[in-house]
Amino acid sequence: MAPKKSLKNKPFRRFVPQFPLDVYTLIVEQVAAFPFPSKSLAALSLARRDFRPLCQRQIFYTVNINTAPYAYSYYGGRTSGKKRMEDFMKLLKDSPHLADYIRDLGFSLVTRDVDNPNLAFQFLSKLHNIRKFQLTCHAYLGSYNPADDKLPPTFDWQKFDSDLAASLLGIIQSPNLRSLGLKGFNHFPSQALFSLKASTLLVDLSIEFLHMDANGACPRNDEDSSRPQIKKYRVGAHCDQVAKAFLGGPEGEQSVFDFSHLEKLSFEWLRQADVDAVKAIMQSARRIQDLQCTISTDASLTFEGLADMIMYGSSQTLRNLEVIRIEREEENPFCGLLEELALLSGNVDVLEAITVRLTFGNMLPYDMSDKCKALDALLSVKAAFPRLRKLSIVVDLSVPGSDVLESCQIEDFEEEVEDESADIQERCFTCMAAIPGFEFQFSVTIDWV
C-alpha cells in the first residue's frame, strides 16, 4: 500500500467557481450604473481577473479631455489640463489596448490656444474607435451682447496647429461616427462639414456658435447617394449659416443630411436669424416627436411663430413639447406661449406632454396667477389636445443677496415663495385637477446667487 502524501507543507488553494461571461457582464453593468462608478469599477477589476477587461471597457468608454490650464475633478481639487493629458498618455503607453475602448470622447478648449498641441495630437492619433465626439470651445464672451447679429468670440479654426486640426477632422469624418457635437468655432472647414454626407451611421448631431469658411462647395444632387438619417438634432444659437447649408439650396445643392426621419429637435433662439433657420429645418422634418424650444437671456424674442412651424411640419407626430424661457424680468411670464398654444389647439392630436421651464429674478411675476388660469382653461378643453396627459411648469427664481441676508430672512422668503406656489397650484389649475389620470406639476425653486 502506497504511503499517503503529506499535506502539511502544501499551500492551500481556495476553490473559486467559474461563471459564464454573461454573469460577469451583468455584475459590471450593475456597478457601472452607480453614481461616479469609476472607483467602484476599478476596485472590482482588482477583485478578480475575469472582471478586468469588462471593467476597463466601462471605465474608458467615455473620456473627457479639458485643455484648460486648470480643470476641476469630480472628487475635488484642481489639476492642470496638460498634466491630465500627460498622465493619460502615460497610461496609454503602458496599456495601449485601452485606446480601443474609448468610444465617447469629449474634447474641450477653454483658452485661445491649445496648451501643448503636440501632446494633444499624440493623444488623438491613438483613437480609432470613436462613436461619439463632442468638440467644444468655451470662449470668453466678455461684454458680448446676445442680441447682436455678430458672432460672439469663438476659436478661429485657422489658428489651430495643422497636425492637431488634422487629427480632429479625422475623428469628425470617421465613417464609424454615430454622434457629433461642434460648438464655438469660427472659420470651420466647410468641406469637412459637407463631407459628413458620407458618414452614413451618423444619427445624432449638435451645433452651436458655429460659423464655417466659404471655401467648400455644397454637394450636388445625386439621387443614388445615401445620406445620414439624422434622428436627433440640436441647433444652438449663432449657427444659422451652417444649419441652412446642411439643408442644401435651390441651385442643385443636395442636403448633407436626410431629416425626414428626425424624431427629436431642440433649438435655441437669440436672434431672428436663428428663428429663420429652425423654420427651414422644420419644413424638411415631418416626423418630429420631441420638440424643445429655448429662448435665452436678453433675447428680445417671444415664442411667436412656433405654432406655425409645428403645424406646417410635425403636427401629426408631435408627442412632447418643452419650452424654456430664461428671463430676468418679471413681465410677460409666458412670453407669448399661450397665444401659440391657442393656435395649436385642435391641430396636434397626438400631443401627450407639455413642459414649461421659466427663469425669473427675485420674485414671481405679478400676473402669474392670471396667466396660469388662462393656461388651465385652454388645456382642459378635451377637443383642444385630446391625448394630453401631462403638464409640468417649473419656475426657477435667481435671487441675489444670500451673502448679505440673515438666515432667518432667507427662510422667511423661501417660505413665502413656497406658500405662493402652493396657492397658485390650488387656485389656478382647478380644471386640470378634475381630469382623471392627468399628471400635473407646478413647482418653484430658488437659486441664490
Side-chain angles (χ1 to χ4, degrees), residues 92 95-103 126-130:
L92 293 182
S95 304
H97 68 283
L98 297 178
D100 294 332
Y101 294 157
I102 301 175
R103 298 290 193 273
K126 294 181 179 294
L127 308 180
H128 306 291
N129 293 323
I130 302 300

Side-chain angles (χ1 to χ4, degrees), residues 113-132:
D113 201 357
V114 180
D115 187 11
N116 198 338
N118 291 330
L119 183 62
F121 163 70
Q122 293 173 18
F123 166 71
L124 293 170
S125 63
K126 294 181 179 294
L127 308 180
H128 306 291
N129 293 323
I130 302 300
R131 301 292 187 269
K132 181 179 181 180

